[in-house]
Amino acid sequence: QKEVAKAANEHNEIGIQAGDRVAIYMPMIPEAVVAMLACARIGAPHSVVFAGFSAEALRTRIDDAQAKLVIPADGQHRRGSAMPLKPAVDEAVQDTPSVEHVLVVRRTGGEVTMTEGRDAWWHVLVDRQSDQHVPEAFDSEHPLFILYTSGTTGKPKGILHTTGGYLTQTSFTHWNVFDLKPDSDVYWCTADIGWVTGHSYIVYGPLSNRVTQVIYEGTPDTPHKGRFWEI
């Protein structure tokens, strides 16, 4: 909650307001969840783009949503090696005039190019913020997020979910379907936040039910096929 409050304060500082769209392009790391919830806290619909998607796929989703802020990581860890993400963002935002800010999370420590006046480091802007933030109140039908279809059969389509109904459904189904006991259970959804399963059962469902959970950055078969069972 404190990290979310700090990120929400940062969003406000750079001019992100209720109704502005924010694109998130990160692997399965805590900052991805924090970024989503900070958007929800100030009423700025988030659009999470799977970190395995190409620069062109990212561009089409940013442009369609008219995102004002993009939050990527510098890179991600997959199959035992660090892979860059920031170059795909740089390529994508060349043709997305709505983007005013790019806030980069340092994950792999790889070399990145920062564009002055547009790009900033998450740890520089967020870490200096107060951990106190008063959440804004919104109508139950206020947009919570846009999530795009995969685009395998045509142009990706943005699906809009509103706040009250979506949270009620994910909280209810997560509690009842998984038979969770907050005082004893540790829960892991092996999906990615880039898909609606991840939105529902990695972010909003578990956290609304106070469930201790695991998130995992990486593939299920690295360094061997038993990785999931080890975890």
Side-chain angles (χ1 to χ4, degrees):
Q1 188 272 333
K2 290 182 177 180
E3 292 302 313
V4 170
K6 288 162 66 175
N9 284 324
E10 171 277 323
H11 286 5
N12 287 152
E13 180 184 295
I14 65 174
I16 303 300
Q17 300 175 341
D20 291 336
R21 276 77 66 199
V22 176
I24 297 171
Y25 186 62
M26 279 194 270
M28 290 294 301
I29 56 177
E31 290 87 349
V33 178
V34 169
M36 293 171 69
L37 295 177
C39 289
R41 196 172 182 87
I42 65 172
H46 57 71
S47 172
V48 178
V49 181
F50 174 55
F53 278 172
S54 67
E56 177 60 18
L58 177 62
R59 183 198 66 77
T60 59
R61 288 158 174 80
I62 292 173
D63 200 43
D64 186 79
Q66 291 292 284
K68 191 173 179 179
L69 166 65
V70 181
I71 309 178
D74 58 357
Q76 63 180 329
H77 296 285
R78 287 182 72 83
R79 301 194 183 282
S81 60
M83 301 175 62
L85 288 175
K86 180 61 163 51
V89 176
D90 293 335
E91 181 181 341
V93 300
Q94 289 178 359
D95 298 307
T96 54
S98 64
V99 174
E100 298 179 8
H101 303 281
V102 176
L103 187 63
V104 186
V105 174
R106 180 174 285 160
R107 176 57 176 163
T108 64
E111 290 284 334
V112 297
T113 300
M114 302 290 278
T115 299
E116 188 174 354
R118 185 197 70 188
D119 298 355
W121 287 106
W122 171 283
H123 64 272
V124 173
L125 293 191
V126 174
D127 289 356
R128 72 186 187 195
Q129 303 292 335
S130 166
D131 64 6
Q132 301 298 309
H133 180 273
V134 178
E136 298 185 49
F138 298 98
D139 186 85
S140 63
E141 291 298 297
H142 185 82
L144 178 61
F145 66 85
I146 303 168
L147 190 61
Y148 285 84
T149 59
S150 60
T152 52
T153 58
K155 182 182 177 181
K157 294 167 281 293
I159 310 301
L160 179 69
H161 284 272
T162 56
T163 304
Y166 174 78
L167 183 58
T168 302
Q169 174 75 359
T170 54
S171 182
F172 177 83
T173 55
H174 189 263
W175 175 264
N176 285 278
V177 172
F178 293 97
D179 188 29
L180 293 164
K181 300 172 181 62
D183 295 333
S184 59
D185 290 343
V186 177
Y187 166 80
W188 179 28
C189 174
T190 63
D192 189 284
I193 59 164
W195 314 111
V196 74
T197 300
H199 281 51
S200 302
Y201 301 123
I202 296 173
V203 183
Y204 290 103
L207 292 174
S208 67
N209 285 311
R210 301 180 296 117
V211 173
T212 300
Q213 65 166 320
V214 173
I215 60 173
Y216 169 64
E217 177 195 14
T219 51
D221 57 353
T222 304
H224 53 74
K225 304 287 186 184
R227 182 59 177 146
F228 273 22
W229 284 264
E230 282 184 338
I231 294 172

